[in-house]
Amino acid sequence: MTTALLTDHYELTMVRAAMGSGTAFRRSVFELFPRRLPEGRRYGVVAGVGRMLEALEEFRFDEETVAWLLEKDVVNEQCAAWLRDYRFGGNMWGYPEGEIYFPGSPLLRVECSFAEACILETLLLSIYNHDSAIASAASRMTAMAEGRPCIEMGSRRTQEQSAVAAARAAYIAGFASSSNLEAGKRWGVPTGGTAAHSFTLLHDSEEEAFAAQLKAQGEGTTLLVDTYDIENAVRTGIKLTEGRLGAIRLDSGDLAIQAREVRDLLDGLGAEKTKVIVTSDLDEWQIAALRGAPVDGYGVGTSVVTGSGHPTCGFVYKLVARADSDDPRAELLPVAKKSTNKNTVGGRKFAMRRFDAKGRAEAEIVGIGTPPTGDANDRQLMVPLVENGTIIGREPIEKARERHEASRKELPKAALRVSKGEPAIPTIILDHEGDETYNPYLHSAVPTNI
Amino acid sequence: MTTALLTDHYELTMVRAAMGSGTAFRRSVFELFPRRLPEGRRYGVVAGVGRMLEALEEFRFDEETVAWLLEKDVVNEQCAAWLRDYRFGGNMWGYPEGEIYFPGSPLLRVECSFAEACILETLLLSIYNHDSAIASAASRMTAMAEGRPCIEMGSRRTQEQSAVAAARAAYIAGFASSSNLEAGKRWGVPTGGTAAHSFTLLHDSEEEAFAAQLKAQGEGTTLLVDTYDIENAVRTGIKLTEGRLGAIRLDSGDLAIQAREVRDLLDGLGAEKTKVIVTSDLDEWQIAALRGAPVDGYGVGTSVVTGSGHPTCGFVYKLVARADSDDPRAELLPVAKKSTNKNTVGGRKFAMRRFDAKGRAEAEIVGIGTPPTGDANDRQLMVPLVENGTIIGREPIEKARERHEASRKELPKAALRVSKGEPAIPTIILDHEGDETYNPYLHSAVPTNI
């Protein structure tokens, strides 16, 4: 299935007009970046890189698509001919998936002709803005869970394809598993699930329902115990398994109090190994609040798939440099608009994270025109993703997950506070001579729009 | 492409276990409904019905899918055999698309075997929860715009497939058009767009950029005037078109002040017919605040595609009645769980909107077990969507759009206030004898989770 029309109308009218004015094939540099973090967040998490590379490969204008664009006069014949042959032939560098980011981090740099880069804008932003919003929220949750497993189960609270992407992003950010089967099949995310209240209500008694579930899923299953009366349900589950029940799930009420009561009840019944899973309206604050409770796992729904209050990242994609002719040797000139409150820093960016001698992150260094230089402790953040149209940035999802865990561990401890705060490390922008220069991302008060 | 795995793992483990206990084919009634509206909202808008019917048709377990489910031990051979033949053969009734809803409105009723209905849960909820969240936010925006066109341009701020669904939902709720090309091709949503700042920056001067755009798109186009200096840009656009420019677009700064300044400038230059379009960070409150400004159209991005603070509706899907045997003649028994704060009303629901003599909506009447009776002013709200597996509820998107406009006009005037408030009309629940009964949706203080 082509991804070519997951695109704003104006990307194509711009290409059409630029072909008319002879500027469409000027060599250009576009960058995708955040102007800021959501209010109070201390760091963000890059996700969507792997999905973007897949979507890029499927970005093809087939004949049916081109015919529709011509019929609607979105493009003319000249533009249509170019679209039919479209294959991204440029270069992309970017932060690898799972990496942490801060305001102004140049997450993706696209170098090719204006036309080639322009028509990717909407698709790139859609994928990065969504997936990174989920991963950024999910990472706060797994940080608060302090090693106890978080289970993503929010598919029903987001669009059906977003659900698949959300499961993937949450897994990268440390979730243990997901309820979403398609994410399991497509991306290898571990999936799990046992039963809902409807399963208990379907049977003539709770005991019959539990017996049916145990028969099908074994004693290691998780029984949902709050359909009628929690204490009765727990006793039934323990009786049926002679104390060997895998886990019980609580999905309503005051979870801290109930988890304690259920833990005591289980222990009293000799079921010390039976785990307690909680699943009602959890978010990073609830998870933090349950640290003291005897809870063995968290099922998280709505809040993770909707980015816990921040369903999009507000990344933008801006032309930062371009040639003044079609000549491939023409010099790239930095460009930037000057609108109120939406300043962009012109010029091609590079990025490095600076670490202290103990390996603790100190600053995000963004270099304009030239990579920042550091010492052996520091890490260059941008890796090649696409080289002359060939995708070279693919990697297993597990690698992104490991990278995220490692990158989060390098942050100052304050980064993992659930309370609102400033970005965990400052972003420093260096001009082409390596001197610190004006940083608009520190001072922009107005939220970004398209 | 099959939609079968856009499903939670536990839907299939429940079917497997219910097959084992001989309960899987008990005749069942599931209902999809909101327990409440988002805080402060006065009404909601049903969207996703048409998308749901498409997804239902594509809900098939092909051999590759079944093989994966078997390999992962999600299902056993008995369950796999049933999945291979799965075709929804039941009945669905529901609110038609574009209709208004209130707390407790039975938006969709699914009647078939437990197994058949159970495995649709996640997909139905994903589609309704997402699309209705967008339509509900969009409707508030088009209400505030008071007839001036709203343009949906948020594709880049939501997942790439959500963007298509969002464009469709916003159109149903009165948006005039969308930037999303796929929504145009797939659903017939009118699309539009002209140019971004990058187009101006690509050219050697703003005048060259404007001339290129005018050449390609004609004088009726919309020029983006805030890349460098708004006044200069407006003068350039008017000079190049000798006053016949279609529109200018403002994308930054204080829009109310700038719209007034630009309007005065345009009028002073003799371009009285050139329109002013604004597009920066608009939501329903901003649109309301710009009522007094000389603005001819609103481009809305992030806020509409993320539901303006409420990216999901919190609809749930609950078993409300089921037979106590496989016998197709067995009586349906109402069922409901009794968890704290998550009460569900058992029994099959019907719904009617009650109107006064002037056609003004007065109440949402939900009948348990039997349709509420009304007079000629009143409207039964649930229509047949699927009959014995045959989809009969398809309709053109324009019909849903017209229905929404008509339905919103029937509401009490307070419904269209932008400020927070109570639901515009009360929901009244009648028992099977037609007497008013306990309504849990009026008193539930805790947000819903899965």
Side-chain angles (χ1 to χ4, degrees), chain B residues 12 15 19 24-25 61 77-87 113-117 119:
Chain B
L12 296 185
V15 170
M19 290 179 90
F25 303 107
F61 291 83
E77 280 296 347
Q78 180 194 23
C79 187
W82 181 77
L83 292 177
R84 281 188 194 98
D85 292 335
Y86 183 86
R87 300 286 182 276
S113 71
F114 175 83
E116 271 181 285
I119 60 171

Side-chain angles (χ1 to χ4, degrees), chain B residues 188-233:
Chain B
V189 174
T191 68
T194 55
H197 296 104
S198 64
F199 186 79
T200 298
L201 294 170
L202 170 70
H203 288 80
D204 297 330
S205 72
E206 191 169 54
E207 183 163 346
E208 286 177 49
F210 285 2
Q213 186 180 330
L214 289 162
K215 188 178 156 205
Q217 299 173 15
E219 291 175 345
T221 195
T222 301
L223 293 174
L224 178 59
V225 294
D226 66 346
T227 303
Y228 304 112
D229 177 86
I230 293 175
E231 186 181 335
N232 281 348

Side-chain angles (χ1 to χ4, degrees), chain A residues 282-322:
Chain A
L282 298 181
D283 56 22
E284 61 266 50
W285 291 277
Q286 274 293 315
I287 293 171
L290 286 166
R291 276 177 182 164
V295 167
D296 302 293
Y298 306 93
V300 188
T302 307
S303 68
V304 65
V305 300
T306 58
S308 197
H310 300 287
T312 188
C313 288
F315 296 152
V316 294
Y317 181 79
K318 296 292 171 191
L319 180 67
V320 296
R322 50 97 182 153

Side-chain angles (χ1 to χ4, degrees), chain B residues 59-74:
Chain B
F59 196 85
R60 299 275 184 275
F61 291 83
D62 57 30
E63 200 44 53
E64 185 198 337
T65 302
V66 173
W68 184 81
L69 291 169
L70 280 167
E71 178 201 326
K72 296 290 174 186
D73 196 30
V74 180

Side-chain angles (χ1 to χ4, degrees), chain B residues 95-222:
Chain B
Y95 281 43
E97 195 151 17
E99 184 57 273
I100 304 283
Y101 73 81
F102 298 97
S105 295
L107 301 185
L108 182 69
R109 196 174 73 233
V110 180
E111 301 199 11
C112 52
S113 71
F114 175 83
E116 271 181 285
C118 172
I119 60 171
L120 295 175
E121 175 177 30
T122 312
L123 184 61
L124 299 181
L125 283 171
S126 289
I127 294 174
Y128 272 76
N129 267 326
H130 174 265
D131 291 15
S132 301
I134 308 307
S136 298
S139 175
R140 283 164 56 84
M141 296 172 190
T142 55
M144 293 309 125
E146 295 183 329
R148 303 181 201 177
C150 293
I151 305 154
E152 186 280 306
M153 45 206 297
S155 290
R156 65 191 57 194
R157 296 297 168 82
T158 188
Q159 199 263 7
E160 67 277 15
Q161 294 290 347
S162 293
V164 185
R168 182 184 181 278
Y171 184 65
I172 288 169
F175 270 60
S177 61
S178 166
S179 64
N180 190 280
L181 288 170
E182 183 67 27
K185 182 159 179 286
R186 205 184 296 175
W187 297 106
V189 174
T191 68
T194 55
H197 296 104
S198 64
F199 186 79
T200 298
L201 294 170
L202 170 70
H203 288 80
D204 297 330
S205 72
E206 191 169 54
E207 183 163 346
E208 286 177 49
F210 285 2
Q213 186 180 330
L214 289 162
K215 188 178 156 205
Q217 299 173 15
E219 291 175 345
T221 195
T222 301

Side-chain angles (χ1 to χ4, degrees), chain A residues 22-33:
Chain A
T23 55
F25 302 108
R26 290 182 170 192
R27 198 152 59 92
S28 297
V29 181
F30 278 81
E31 287 174 355
L32 186 153
F33 60 94

